[in-house]
Amino acid sequence: MKREGVLENELGIAEKRGIWFYEPSEFALQHLYYPMWGAEYVCTAPYRVDRDYMDAFMFFSIIEGTMYYRYEGMEFCAGPGDFVFLDCHRPNCYWAEEPVRKKWIHFNGNSARGYHDLILSRYGPCLKARGKASSLLDQILQALERGVAQDHHMSLLIHSILADLADTSDEKKQLHLIQPAIDYICHHYQEEITVEQLSSLCNVSSVYLTRLFRQSLQKAPHEYLQQIRLSNAARLLTETRDSVESIAEQCGFSGSTHFIRMFRKRYQVTPLKFRKLF
């Protein structure tokens, strides 16, 4: 790592490794995630970046010390093990008050804003103890440093970071709590099932069960039951010659008319037309 005290023309950067730049292909620019540049810095006061706009997104992995941020009307700090995700199209400011070691990249990609807004709305811009995301960021920086970065591999690594940031241990815990209800639905979807039955299996209230389903699976219990019934109906349409009426009955629908309406809503075709696709 370059060591020159405070680097000339870069106030507050005491140590610097990088910056490494990447030139994505035209295909990557249009269809993939891609890094733009990245580095590892040790910063101290008066290091400060105050930016109104840049056509990029940014990941930070904090290794040592504390970095301070102002973003989306919030002021917060990030410490060792924390991971920060910013949309640089929006005003953002970050600074050091004491020595802090950080790794970072600017990147872009067509779906980056969607992921950013999802993660921001759920967890905020600073995510605690994201060891997996930090390890993936290390892989990106190592490839950039060695000059061996490749479009699809870089896109996969960035997408993996985004997926890791979007997935939390809380969601996994919630999924574990509703697993008995999920198992029951998968084995008894042909039967009439009530939320009260499912909540009893999970030892929680009906209201709390519904909340857990929405948080973990983004759908209510009855919507998940409908999904399982339709998936099994689609399987029977492709694997058997049973009639539409018989399949509706086997999968727990109250009648063929209701079944056809729900099936078309999900698959955009009627059951008979769906069968002809296979």
Side-chain angles (χ1 to χ4, degrees):
M1 179 174 287
K2 188 174 182 181
R3 297 176 181 272
E4 298 179 4
V6 175
L7 301 179
E8 185 178 358
N9 300 322
E10 297 184 89
L11 294 179
I13 300 179
E15 301 179 13
K16 182 178 181 181
R17 186 161 165 253
I19 298 173
W20 305 292
F21 294 87
Y22 184 64
E23 185 175 348
S25 68
E26 284 299 320
F27 181 85
L29 288 170
Q30 295 184 42
H31 303 292
L32 304 178
Y33 299 108
Y34 53 90
M36 299 163 69
W37 48 76
E40 179 180 347
Y41 284 179
V42 174
C43 305
T44 191
Y47 177 78
R48 184 183 185 93
V49 175
D50 199 342
R51 180 185 295 116
D52 287 328
Y53 178 87
M54 176 186 285
D55 185 15
F57 297 82
M58 194 171 190
F59 289 145
F60 297 83
S61 176
I62 308 302
I63 311 304
E64 299 171 356
T66 302
M67 180 70 71
Y68 297 86
Y69 295 85
R70 184 180 300 117
Y71 181 65
E72 289 293 283
M74 298 175 281
E75 286 198 7
F76 60 93
C77 58
D82 293 345
F83 205 91
V84 178
F85 182 14
L86 303 182
D87 178 355
C88 297
H89 302 84
R90 310 176 187 187
N92 60 91
C93 178
Y94 47 93
W95 67 94
E97 297 181 0
E98 62 272 333
V100 55
R101 183 184 299 270
K102 63 173 182 172
K103 297 180 180 180
W104 58 270
I105 65 167
H106 281 104
F107 73 98
N108 227 320
N110 289 337
S111 301
R113 177 167 288 109
Y115 258 118
H116 169 272
D117 292 350
L118 172 68
I119 292 164
L120 181 69
S121 66
R122 287 184 174 181
Y123 318 118
C126 180
L127 295 98
K128 302 296 181 181
R130 306 307 288 192
K132 182 178 178 181
S134 297
S135 176
L136 293 165
L137 181 59
D138 284 345
Q139 293 181 50
I140 294 172
L141 290 171
Q142 288 166 12
L144 294 178
E145 180 182 17
R146 295 167 56 198
V148 297
Q150 297 176 331
D151 284 344
H152 296 284
H153 187 222
M154 293 296 97
S155 184
L156 175 62
L157 290 173
I158 292 172
H159 196 177
S160 297
I161 291 174
L162 294 168
D164 180 66
L165 299 181
D167 184 24
T168 69
S169 58
D170 286 344
E171 286 184 325
K172 294 173 183 176
K173 181 180 179 181
Q174 291 161 357
L175 190 61
H176 177 72
L177 289 173
I178 63 173
Q179 194 62 52
I182 291 172
D183 292 342
Y184 189 84
I185 289 172
C186 289
H187 290 95
H188 299 271
Y189 61 88
Q190 307 95 329
E191 306 168 13
E192 183 177 346
I193 299 175
T194 66
V195 175
E196 289 71 25
Q197 284 177 280
L198 299 175
S199 60
S200 177
L201 288 169
C202 298
N203 295 312
V204 297
S205 70
S206 299
V207 172
Y208 189 48
L209 180 80
T210 300
R211 185 185 307 159
L212 289 173
F213 260 82
R214 289 197 181 279
Q215 290 173 343
S216 301
L217 301 176
Q218 289 74 57
K219 51 178 65 70
H222 75 275
E223 293 171 323
Y224 179 72
L225 172 60
Q226 190 84 286
Q227 172 188 315
I228 295 301
R229 285 174 169 169
L230 288 169
S231 294
N232 279 279
R235 176 181 56 80
L236 290 173
L237 284 165
T238 62
E239 294 180 356
T240 75
R241 304 312 299 170
D242 294 349
S243 68
V244 168
E245 290 76 12
S246 174
I247 290 173
E249 183 179 354
Q250 292 176 61
C251 293
F253 289 93
S254 57
S256 59
T257 301
H258 176 62
F259 165 57
I260 293 169
R261 184 169 66 252
M262 292 298 98
F263 192 93
R264 186 169 187 170
K265 183 178 179 181
R266 178 173 179 183
Y267 293 103
Q268 285 77 55
V269 293
T270 64
L272 290 179
K273 287 184 178 179
F274 181 86
R275 173 174 271 166
K276 292 177 181 179
L277 298 173
F278 294 86

